[in-house]
Amino acid sequence: AGHVALLEEMLLEWEGGGHLLLLGDQGVGKNKLADRLLQLLRLERQYMQLHRDSTVQSLTVEAELVGGAVEWRDSPLVLALRHGHVLMLDEADKAPLEVVAVLKSLLADGQMLLSDGRRVLSPEAAAAEGSLLREEDVIIHDRFRVLTLANRPGFPFLGNDFFRECGTVFAAHVVDNPDAASQLELMAPFGTSVPPHVHRRIVGAFDELRCLVRDGLLAYPFSVREQVSVIKHLQAFPQDSVGQALGNVASFDAMDPVATEQLRSAFARQGIALDAAGGAAPALTVELAREVVLPAAQPVDGRRDSAAPLACEVTSHELKARNVSYQFAPSDQGVRPLGSAVEAVEGRAGAAFSEEVRELQLLGGEEEGAPHCVACLARGGAIHVLASGPAALHSL
């Protein structure tokens, strides 16, 4: 919903005749918004990506190898100026300041001198030239526009403050991550076989990580791009755990113990166990269940005549249960009453081979120590746990 409203604001600015600037972290959807705007308006574009080695010459001309010889041709900027296309300028914050200054002069004054001696002139300046106007000069087309994308300055993207240098010639818009409902809708097509509760937990965990970035506890602003990559991993490799999939985005902080602990805690609060070293594959260990030697079988009852009925004395008692809490399986459309006394934690694979199927944490009774419990595995995968201290029946 937030991106749709931003798209409407961009359309209003575009109808007003100004150039647009989209500011935001990597992976928040700046390119998607720009592509969608140009698609709706059915406008042809020229794409140009700037970098730290960009020069004023590379802004206006490009080298092309034709028939074994190097030929120089007009850059996307000059083509957009001449033919009235939209110039999509990506990674503008990475360009050196002298390149940014030339670009600002072009948009503000409507004039620029090319490296081969040609001049770029606005229609008003071309009309004032009169007979001095040369045939090779480039006159700015009336439909020429610039749509610029830039990251915020400083760490971790290490770019220049593009808005400070050129903000006066652009209509600037700040692009942020979409809301939780939009994130779930965005991730759904990439993980059709991934359970819905895993989608919700990943969205909740990354929202918490972004809160830690705003509080200054983490440096890298995790975006929706990382969430989609995790879902794609789980879709392509269903045998991997969520912790292993998160290793694609969390291993960069593996050498920082403080950041690793922040990541581990944030994911644990969402019920996701992050593997060792921030998701990297650790040394494999084997953990098997304890073997119990059963005593020799002893007969408890016998029957000689199979046709004769067996009379057993049965005593019935009425059992009243109080304070019974339930935990539903995540596949039951996320039905989970508030105040549930059972917490399910996503198992992790890769760190160890274990016969453990599911880990349950029984809440309550901590003041009297760990509660005594008996577990029963029923048909269909249901688990019933009868616990004491306080007495409760937990069903999962």
Side-chain angles (χ1 to χ4, degrees), residues 46-48 56-62 72-81 87 112 114 118:
Q46 297 287 342
Y47 181 81
M48 195 171 190
V56 177
Q57 181 180 7
S58 65
L59 194 65
T60 58
V61 293
E62 286 185 348
W72 296 93
R73 59 184 179 88
D74 290 336
S75 68
L77 170 60
V78 179
L79 294 177
L81 287 167
L87 176 65
M112 184 174 64
L114 302 181
R118 292 179 299 168

Side-chain angles (χ1 to χ4, degrees), residues 24-217:
D25 296 331
Q26 291 183 0
V28 296
K30 298 188 296 295
N31 283 276
K32 293 293 184 181
L33 283 171
D35 291 342
R36 182 57 175 166
L37 177 66
L38 299 181
Q39 180 187 14
L40 293 175
L41 295 175
R42 298 184 178 182
L43 296 175
E44 188 174 354
R45 72 172 184 177
Q46 297 287 342
Y47 181 81
M48 195 171 190
Q49 185 176 20
L50 302 181
H51 47 82
R52 305 188 191 282
D53 295 328
S54 296
T55 61
V56 177
Q57 181 180 7
S58 65
L59 194 65
T60 58
V61 293
E62 286 185 348
E64 183 180 12
L65 186 62
V66 178
V70 177
E71 295 184 0
W72 296 93
R73 59 184 179 88
D74 290 336
S75 68
L77 170 60
V78 179
L79 294 177
L81 287 167
R82 183 188 299 276
H83 302 293
H85 298 163
V86 177
L87 176 65
M88 188 170 174
L89 208 58
D90 199 3
E91 301 291 347
D93 59 297
K94 304 299 188 298
L97 293 181
E98 59 270 16
V99 177
V100 174
V102 171
L103 181 64
K104 178 181 179 182
S105 175
L106 170 64
L107 300 181
D109 304 330
Q111 297 185 19
M112 184 174 64
L113 182 63
L114 302 181
S115 58
D116 57 0
R118 292 179 299 168
R119 296 178 300 170
V120 176
L121 301 173
S122 63
E124 296 79 8
E129 286 289 321
S131 59
L132 298 179
L133 183 65
R134 297 175 298 181
E135 183 179 357
E136 62 271 15
D137 289 339
V138 179
I139 301 177
I140 301 177
H141 200 282
D142 293 336
R143 294 196 301 267
F144 168 73
R145 296 288 190 79
V146 178
L147 182 53
T148 307
L149 314 178
N151 300 315
R152 60 182 174 89
F155 190 84
F157 307 118
L158 304 178
N160 299 317
D161 194 345
F162 186 83
F163 178 76
R164 182 188 61 189
E165 303 297 332
C166 293
T168 56
V169 296
F170 288 98
H173 298 273
V174 178
V175 184
D176 202 355
N177 290 284
D179 53 32
S182 300
Q183 294 177 38
L184 290 173
E185 185 177 357
L186 175 65
M187 294 161 56
F190 298 101
T192 55
S193 62
V194 181
H197 76 279
V198 176
H199 286 252
R200 293 192 293 269
R201 290 186 177 186
I202 291 176
V203 169
F206 275 89
D207 282 343
E208 186 170 349
L209 291 182
R210 286 188 277 271
C211 292
L212 295 177
V213 173
R214 286 193 291 268
D215 294 339
L217 300 178

Side-chain angles (χ1 to χ4, degrees), residues 316-328:
S316 301
H317 297 278
E318 182 180 359
L319 180 62
K320 296 182 179 181
R322 296 180 299 174
N323 299 327
V324 180
S325 58
Y326 302 91
Q327 170 70 34
F328 295 89

